[in-house]
Structure formats: structure tokens, C-alpha cells
């Protein structure tokens, strides 16, 4: 990091103090979350005790839900005008891009006749490719109950980091 242009010269072996967190630094996420939390609470939302990234509120007699994942968020409610008010307030405070919701945190979201469907087909396919299991087929019983397990020895024996695979799910 270097001293910004136009800043007064500094004595050798001295340090400068940052007055706010810079994007990419360790403390930035915490600072951003704290600012976002304070702003949303001032709008009248309440932070969930079960998940600190979920907020609920009531605006114009309409229940509003807001969920946050790192720096991505989703806002939903039944009234479009109420939704637009919340989005406008967020846009005035935070630079962001808004769009129709089709994909959020590895979830594909589809709407049809007043219903919402959520699936993770793309994510699951990526996991299958990552763990080289594209050709795996579902079975009711993964192995014959009487079979004896052995260590894989040949080049064609499938070795999967199971903890990593299960953790990804």
C-alpha cells in the first residue's frame, strides 16, 4: 500500500491509520455488515435470533423479508409497491445492482402461477463434475450387504474425498 497522492510527506518508520475499512481487507466484511445491520434496523426491521443474516419487518401493513449472504441480498414480500420502497431505500444507501431474481446463492428460483420453486440442479451438476461422479447412478442400496470392502488399488478405482463432497452438499 502506498501513501495517496497529494498527502503530506511522512517521516521514515512512521505509520498511517486508515479511518475506514478497505474492500478486500480482513475487517471490511465486518464493517460492511455492521453498517448494513444498522441501516436495516433503522428502517424498522428486526434481526432474526435464529439466523443473524435474516431480517423481517412490516411496511405499509405488508410483511417484508430480507436475507443476506456476504454482500448479496434478497428482499421479498407480497406487495410490489412495498418491495419497490425497500429496494429504493437500499439503493440510496448502498451501491448495488438489482435484477429479477432467477438465481441466488446456488439456488435456481422459478415462478409459475403464484408459486415459487427452488432447485439446485446447476450446483449439483458442478459438484458431480468436481468430484468426477458424472457417471454415478442412484441405487437404493449402495452396496450388497454381504460384500467385503477393500482398499482401492487400481487406476480405475474411484477415489472421492467423501468429507469434502458431503460438506459441499
Amino acid at each position: 500500500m502506498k501513501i495517496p497522492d497529494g498527502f503530506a510527506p511522512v517521516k521514515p518508520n512512521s505509520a498511517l491509520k486508515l479511518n475506514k475499512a478497505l474492500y478486500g481487507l480482513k475487517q471490511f466484511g465486518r464493517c460492511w455488515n455492521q453498517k448494513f445491520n444498522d441501516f436495516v434496523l433503522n428502517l424498522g426491521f428486526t434481526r432474526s435470533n435464529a439466523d443473524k443474516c435474516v431480517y423481517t419487518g412490516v411496511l405499509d401493513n405488508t410483511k417484508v423479508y430480507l436475507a443476506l449472504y456476504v454482500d448479496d441480498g434478497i428482499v421479498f414480500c407480497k406487495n410490489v409497491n412495498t418491495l419497490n420502497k425497500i429496494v429504493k431505500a437500499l439503493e440510496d444507501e448502498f451501491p448495488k445492482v438489482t435484477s429479477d431474481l432467477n438465481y441466488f446463492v446456488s439456488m435456481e428460483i422459478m415462478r409459475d402461477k403464484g408459486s415459487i420453486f427452488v432447485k439446485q440442479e446447476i450446483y449439483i451438476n458442478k459438484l458431480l463434475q468436481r468430484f468426477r461422479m458424472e457417471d454415478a447412478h442412484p441405487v437404493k442400496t449402495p452396496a450388497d450387504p454381504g460384500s467385503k470392502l477393500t482398499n482401492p488399488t487400481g487406476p480405475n478405482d474411484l477415489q472421492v474425498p467423501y468429507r469434502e463432497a458431503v460438506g459441499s452438499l
Side-chain angles (χ1 to χ4, degrees), residues 72-74 99-111 119-124 126:
D72 291 329
I74 181 174
S99 64
D100 286 337
L101 185 64
N102 296 317
Y103 197 76
F104 182 72
V105 192
S106 298
M107 293 183 291
E108 299 163 73
I109 301 168
M110 298 152 297
R111 292 174 215 71
K119 64 179 186 173
Q120 291 187 290
E121 184 176 344
I122 293 172
Y123 180 70
I124 296 298
K126 283 181 183 179

Side-chain angles (χ1 to χ4, degrees), residues 48-80:
S48 169
N49 289 328
D51 188 337
K52 298 298 183 188
C53 294
V54 175
Y55 298 84
T56 57
V58 176
L59 181 67
D60 299 336
N61 295 320
T62 303
K63 188 85 167 183
V64 181
Y65 298 90
L66 190 150
L68 192 63
Y69 180 77
V70 186
D71 59 355
D72 291 329
I74 181 174
V75 181
F76 50 98
C77 68
K78 290 184 178 181
N79 186 311
V80 174

Side-chain angles (χ1 to χ4, degrees), residues 9-116:
V10 180
K11 297 176 187 174
N13 298 326
S14 62
L16 298 175
K17 178 183 174 189
L18 291 172
N19 290 327
K20 65 183 200 176
L22 297 177
Y23 187 80
L25 294 181
K26 190 166 42 171
Q27 69 273 23
F28 178 81
R30 182 179 182 280
C31 292
W32 185 88
N33 188 275
Q34 195 169 16
K35 179 180 178 179
F36 184 85
N37 181 62
D38 293 343
F39 178 77
V40 173
L41 292 178
N42 285 335
L43 286 179
F45 280 80
T46 304
R47 197 174 201 179
S48 169
N49 289 328
D51 188 337
K52 298 298 183 188
C53 294
V54 175
Y55 298 84
T56 57
V58 176
L59 181 67
D60 299 336
N61 295 320
T62 303
K63 188 85 167 183
V64 181
Y65 298 90
L66 190 150
L68 192 63
Y69 180 77
V70 186
D71 59 355
D72 291 329
I74 181 174
V75 181
F76 50 98
C77 68
K78 290 184 178 181
N79 186 311
V80 174
N81 293 328
T82 303
L83 180 66
N84 289 335
K85 284 181 186 179
I86 297 294
V87 169
K88 174 79 171 99
L90 289 167
E91 284 176 337
D92 289 346
E93 184 69 21
F94 301 98
K96 65 179 183 42
V97 176
T98 57
S99 64
D100 286 337
L101 185 64
N102 296 317
Y103 197 76
F104 182 72
V105 192
S106 298
M107 293 183 291
E108 299 163 73
I109 301 168
M110 298 152 297
R111 292 174 215 71
D112 184 33
K113 299 176 185 173
S115 297
I116 296 176

